[in-house]
Amino acid sequence: MNFLDGSLFPENQPKLVITAAPYGPEWIPSDFPEDIPVTMEAQVQKAVDCYNAGATVLHLHVRELDGRGSKRLSMFNELIAGVRKAVPEMIIQVGGSISFAPESEGAAAKWLSDDTRHMLAELDPKPDQVTVTVNTTQMNVVEQMDARDIAGTSLAEPAGFRAYSNMIVPSAPDFFEEHVQRLTKAGIQSAFQFYNVNSYETVERLIRRGIYKGPLVCNWVAIGGGMDQPTVYSLANFLRAVPDGTMLTVESSMLNTLPINMMGIAMGLHVRCGIEDNLWNQTRTAKMTTVQQIEQLVRISREFGREIASAKEAREICKIGVFYDSVEETLAANGYAPNAAGRQQGHLRKAAA
């Protein structure tokens, strides 16, 4: 991305798109009873509250009435329908894991099977986005957490800590190549989750080979534990790789969340917050609800001189519903150089659809 003259001036930056992640599938309701909705009505209301606070993208997971993360797609259909009715302009982004929460005490935290995750392309009503991970990796979400971050929560219990420290994100080429094509066919945008430059480069190859023909909308996931590190060096290295047309949201965890988001706001990027990422204020003297975190980012962004995108503006920034007809059009729209004539565009495992 280009950060030469004037790139830090707010008049040259897009309005800020805030993604709210209020459902926190790694937590159980007793971890933060004031802010973990359980009933369907409460889960819909949480979306409304986030939207009213300034978030225009909703990162969506679902809970069963027993408080555990739901793995039933019928529940996703019900929540999506409820959110659509309550806040029709909000961008609905379904978490591609469906739910990684353990099924029971002592069970593993794991992502669902390839075939089950493919069924996200069949959700009805359909979401605007589904998050897509690329390349199998460790996702040890507790590696960079301080003991104070999880004190008194289920993640501090030996079974919970073990489950989440050993979590793996399964995403081999047979899965993600098929997945992005299914989502595109359904008119659902792939929201790529990049944990480092390597996973980004794989998606660039998908674009150059014609497997994916859409806007490059993505998160830089800086949570450690197999994903990128929340440092200015890692962020700068990632930004040097991605093209100018990228819609990039920064994401981190616990007390790293706010500083990384402030960097993102200052640089003209977009941000994510919520209890899925962080429970605390910066001094750990009190827990912060997702709405409080959104309101904080709204205040900070306005101090930087960046206004908050409306839902309509967020849809335009994210290019919701936009797909391209050719490799050449996709490259140009995303700010890439054209494919070099006569050069193999990555290892051609199979022909593009």
Side-chain angles (χ1 to χ4, degrees):
M1 300 182 83
N2 189 323
F3 291 96
L4 291 177
D5 299 350
S7 66
L8 301 184
F9 300 169
E11 64 262 29
N12 295 328
Q13 297 174 338
K15 291 184 180 180
L16 182 69
V17 176
I18 300 175
T19 297
Y23 299 114
E26 73 272 33
W27 309 113
I28 60 175
S30 61
D31 292 332
F32 195 1
E34 299 83 1
D35 201 43
I36 295 182
V38 174
T39 68
M40 186 59 64
E41 181 182 13
Q43 291 180 79
V44 171
Q45 185 60 47
K46 184 62 62 179
V48 173
D49 294 343
C50 290
Y51 180 78
N52 289 339
T56 47
V57 180
L58 178 72
H59 183 73
L60 186 145
H61 294 277
V62 190
R63 284 185 189 275
E64 298 281 354
L65 283 174
D66 65 3
R68 295 192 178 275
S70 178
K71 301 179 186 341
R72 293 192 293 155
L73 295 184
S74 61
M75 293 286 285
F76 280 77
N77 289 335
E78 186 177 354
L79 181 55
I80 292 169
V83 173
R84 278 272 186 260
K85 181 177 180 180
V87 277
E89 293 303 314
M90 195 172 202
I91 297 170
I92 296 177
Q93 177 191 92
V94 170
S97 67
I98 299 177
S99 173
F100 46 69
E103 293 278 5
S104 59
E105 182 78 17
K110 62 182 182 180
W111 290 45
L112 299 188
S113 70
D114 291 0
D115 286 344
T116 302
R117 286 182 287 156
H118 279 324
M119 291 176 66
L120 292 173
E122 301 171 19
L123 289 171
D124 183 21
K126 69 180 180 184
D128 300 291
Q129 300 174 330
V130 167
T131 61
V132 178
T133 56
V134 176
N135 298 331
T136 298
T137 191
Q138 185 77 43
M139 189 180 177
N140 175 2
V141 299
V142 296
E143 182 184 73
Q144 292 199 340
M145 291 184 184
D146 190 285
R148 293 168 292 176
D149 293 332
I150 59 175
T153 74
S154 57
L155 262 62
E157 298 297 324
F161 191 89
R162 187 181 309 110
Y164 283 101
S165 62
N166 287 290
M167 185 164 58
I168 301 290
V169 177
S171 188
D174 275 351
F175 168 72
F176 61 72
E177 291 188 5
E178 175 73 18
H179 199 50
V180 297
Q181 291 182 94
R182 287 192 185 205
L183 293 174
T184 297
K185 185 176 180 180
I188 300 169
Q189 186 177 81
S190 295
F192 293 103
Q193 306 296 287
F194 293 140
Y195 9 92
N196 51 37
V197 170
N198 296 339
S199 54
Y200 156 71
E201 288 174 343
T202 293
V203 170
E204 179 176 348
R205 294 186 184 100
L206 294 185
I207 291 172
R208 291 190 176 279
R209 290 159 44 199
I211 299 295
Y212 177 68
K213 290 181 283 192
L216 186 57
V217 176
C218 56
N219 279 33
W220 174 66
V221 184
I223 63 174
M227 307 209 167
D228 225 336
Q229 304 304 304
T231 70
V232 66
Y233 304 107
S234 297
L235 177 56
N237 187 49
F238 186 82
L239 291 173
R240 285 172 66 94
V242 299
D244 285 346
T246 305
M247 191 283 178
L248 176 61
T249 296
V250 294
E251 174 186 341
S252 194
S253 69
M254 292 302 183
L255 265 61
N256 290 313
T257 301
L258 181 60
I260 289 295
N261 278 340
M262 290 181 70
M263 293 181 200
I265 291 170
M267 299 174 76
L269 309 176
H270 304 280
V271 296
R272 169 175 143 152
C273 67
I275 63 166
E276 185 169 336
D277 302 340
N278 175 43
L279 294 180
W280 300 99
N281 64 16
Q282 288 305 103
T283 56
R284 292 195 189 89
T285 53
K287 289 180 179 176
M288 288 187 74
T289 68
T290 298
V291 166
Q292 289 171 332
Q293 293 179 48
I294 296 166
E295 291 171 342
Q296 181 183 57
L297 292 178
V298 169
R299 292 194 303 269
I300 291 171
S301 187
R302 286 176 174 159
E303 289 292 326
F304 274 105
R306 280 185 77 185
E307 284 301 313
I308 310 304
S310 67
K312 181 177 184 296
E313 290 165 336
R315 287 181 169 273
E316 292 170 353
I317 292 167
C318 292
K319 298 183 174 68
I320 298 298
V322 173
F323 299 94
Y324 305 117
D325 294 326
S326 66
V327 172
E328 292 74 20
E329 184 184 7
T330 308
L331 292 171
N334 283 305
Y336 284 107
N339 279 339
R343 185 187 301 173
Q344 177 174 301
Q345 306 306 324
H347 294 286
L348 300 178
R349 297 179 62 257
K350 62 183 180 181

